Amino acid sequence: MKEPFSDLLKESPIFKNRNALSQSYVPETLLFRDKQIDYIVKILTPSLKGDKGRNLFIYGKTGTGKTSCMKYVLDKVRNISTVKAKISYINCRLHNSRYRVLNKIVSDHLPVYAKHGYGTVDIYGKIIHWIEEDSKILIVVLDEIDMVTDLDDLVYTLTRANNDMKNGGVVLAGISNTISFKDRLDPRSLSSLYEAELVFPPYNSNELSEILRQRAELGFKRDVIDPSTINLAAAISAKDSGDARLALMMLSNAGELAEEKGEKKITADDVKEASKNAEEEIAYELISTLPEHQRLIVYAISMLTLQGSRYKKLVAGEDTYLFSGEIYDKYVAVIHSLRKEPKSSRWYRKYISDLEMQGLVATYESGKGIRGHTKLIKLLYPPAKIKATIEKGLFNESEAEGK
Ligand code: ADP
Ligand code: MG
């Protein structure tokens, strides 16, 4: 009989440290981001010394190193004993409403009040009192801030806090993956949030190669992967998106494939195969964290893609493209069947450009055709799988949240 768990206990011929290849791992040195790190440090320094510094807003596509750079800076800060400021790092994917964000601040700094089920006003009062009592500076880092559903309320509350206090202050650092995020804020919140701004550009192929090389050394055993194979993974990711997360996922999936196949080395074929899986995994992750209306728009797109466009004959050869208008109609129908209110078509167009930014859809202008000037939209992932993923989420949804 085979020893139970023998596979589990056997040492991997490929991996030295799987964790080093995961996307949550922050390497000791972040490559190509000196300028960005210096800028974050420069903007936060006054606040760390106890003055009310400037709010900072950071944006760039997924996988450009925003979270890693921020965490890197915050880790350094933690080791400096003279730092006056208190810091809350908040992942807004998890804490996606004003209430949840305030609750997270309380649980970070005033844990006795957390989990008491206090309402927003009470929590807010506790935080203000705590800041004022000895003129603290509270730095609130809102990562993936675009995930917050009542965003204006949140930004307004946190910036207004400075008017409600005689001593101390709140400084915000918002991080977003979408540029059109700006359009979601009212002008007042916008101007208070954007006191300083920082952009993270996508990585090019050479930069991704370096990033992957650094991680391959930590994650894989010696000579398991050739430089040319790393370059291939980098080139594929650079062409698609410049997303380091995608590149890393591809690399570690390629390692898993090589291990499954009992290979001694990761091959180019493993990388190509892994690139398909990595894309799908990322699509599912993206969808699971999309705000409700955007998710339902993607749902409408997946349904229509499966049915085929109503205007198929008008766009000969482009049968996987859909008309913007028919998607909107489908979205409205879906929303009504859920007994909810649809967003206006103006919002709809913004959402579509967000979805394009995130790489879920591609769009192009039809030019002057029979139906006049219109936008054509194409889903970039398998529609049946996308539809099933969203349906799973729709029926598990529960929104029992005190506001
Ligand atoms: P973002 O927050 O912009 O989506 P992340 O900071 O989460 O991106 O980065 C995604 C992954 O890529 C992480 O695993 C991170 O360690 C890695 N990474 C990103 N930028 C760099 C870099 N400059 N050097 C090394 N690793 C990086
Ligand atoms: Mg991030």
Side-chain angles (χ1 to χ4, degrees), residues 22-23 25 27 30-31 33 61-68 177 203 211 214-215 244-245 248:
S22 83
Q23 44 163 315
Y25 181 89
L30 288 163
L31 307 164
R33 287 300 186 230
K61 281 190 175 181
T62 308
T64 51
K66 303 179 299 298
T67 300
S68 306
N177 292 331
Y203 295 113
I211 291 172
Q214 179 196 44
R215 297 290 265 276
R245 199 180 51 139
L248 280 162

Side-chain angles (χ1 to χ4, degrees), residues 274-288:
S275 79
K276 295 203 191 86
N277 302 341
E279 272 179 12
E280 283 187 9
E281 253 175 69
I282 282 187
Y284 301 143
E285 199 195 307
L286 269 178
I287 283 166
S288 65

Side-chain angles (χ1 to χ4, degrees), residues 236-253:
I236 295 175
S237 328
K239 189 171 120 290
D240 273 6
S241 57
D243 177 346
R245 199 180 51 139
L246 184 76
L248 280 162
M249 197 181 276
M250 204 186 290
L251 198 66
S252 84
N253 286 354

